[in-house]
């Protein structure tokens, strides 16, 4: 529209738009994540979501979709939101007690976003502009790429294409 309004010639083929290659990839410094995890006391729900977000690198919508039905006593089954494979994670014993804070039904993305902000505030951590759960995920991925083979990261983070499934559908497919 800008080009039309100014009678400028469109420099691309018809209906094409320029590809922006550089995107702002907001990350939270590792030290700040460490401070939130290690140096601060939270309520059980904050502890649970901070643990899930930092251990498994879930996206905000994935965190919001996790309910008690996603936990079978040993494994947390979480559908990816971008059509990847359903992610199954063994839950360490230290996290089991906090799983009681899982809601019966899905949370809203807004509620989950506020949990990260609350954790950061309690830890006296100033989040970078635009930082949310995906910034935690990006930081985790950046650190892991130095230590772990790409194939393992692809599997762990659910980067495969395919239809998304709910927790109930995933567990019944076994």
């Amino acid at each position: 529209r800008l080009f039309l309004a100014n009678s400028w010639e469109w420099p691309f083929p018809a209906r094409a738009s320029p590809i922006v290659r550089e995107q702002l990839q907001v990350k939270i410094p590792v030290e700040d994540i460490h401070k939130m995890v290690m140096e601060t006391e939270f309520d059980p729900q904050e502890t649970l979501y901070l643990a899930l977000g930092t251990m498994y690198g879930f996206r905000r919508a994935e965190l919001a979709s996790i309910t008690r039905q996603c936990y079978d006593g040993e494994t947390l089954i979480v559908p990816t939101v971008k059509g990847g494979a359903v992610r199954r994670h063994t839950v360490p014993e230290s996290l089991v007690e906090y799983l009681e804070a899982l809601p019966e039904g899905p949370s809203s993305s807004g509620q989950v976003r506020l949990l990260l902000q609350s954790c950061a505030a309690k830890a006296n951590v100033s989040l970078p502009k635009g930082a949310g759960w995906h910034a935690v995920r990006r930081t985790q991925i950046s650190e892991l790429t130095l230590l772990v083979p790409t194939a393992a990261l692809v599997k762990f983070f659910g980067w495969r294409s395919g239809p998304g499934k709910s927790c109930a559908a995933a567990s019944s497919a076994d």
Side-chain angles (χ1 to χ4, degrees), residues 3 10-13 15-21:
F3 281 79
W10 182 247
F12 303 98
R15 299 188 126 348
S17 60
I19 296 172
V20 179
R21 300 225 182 260

Side-chain angles (χ1 to χ4, degrees), residues 40-50 98 101 115 118-119 122:
T40 310
E41 291 292 322
F42 300 111
D43 70 39
Q45 189 177 38
E46 290 169 331
T47 301
L48 173 67
Y49 283 93
L50 188 60
Y98 295 104
L115 283 170
S118 174
C119 290
K122 287 181 178 180

Side-chain angles (χ1 to χ4, degrees), residues 70 77-80 85-88 164-174:
C70 294
I77 303 166
V78 181
T80 60
V86 170
R87 296 166 62 187
R88 289 173 166 73
K165 294 181 180 177
S166 70
C167 301
S171 58
S172 66
D174 292 339

Side-chain angles (χ1 to χ4, degrees), residues 70-160:
C70 294
Y71 178 61
D72 67 6
E74 294 179 5
T75 307
L76 190 62
I77 303 166
V78 181
T80 60
V81 295
K82 290 195 170 186
V86 170
R87 296 166 62 187
R88 289 173 166 73
H89 294 289
T90 302
V91 176
E93 196 172 309
S94 59
L95 189 58
V96 170
E97 69 178 279
Y98 295 104
L99 289 172
E100 293 177 11
L102 278 173
E104 289 293 330
S107 302
S108 74
S109 289
Q111 288 171 315
V112 174
R113 178 180 46 83
L114 290 174
L115 283 170
L116 179 62
Q117 292 173 351
S118 174
C119 290
K122 287 181 178 180
N124 201 26
V125 167
S126 179
L127 295 174
K129 183 179 180 179
W133 289 106
H134 216 89
V136 173
R137 179 182 171 90
R138 281 190 204 102
T139 301
Q140 185 182 37
I141 291 167
S142 293
E143 294 297 308
L144 287 173
T145 56
L146 303 172
L147 306 168
V148 179
T150 302
L153 291 176
V154 167
K155 184 176 180 183
F156 184 79
F157 286 102
W159 290 340
R160 295 182 296 176

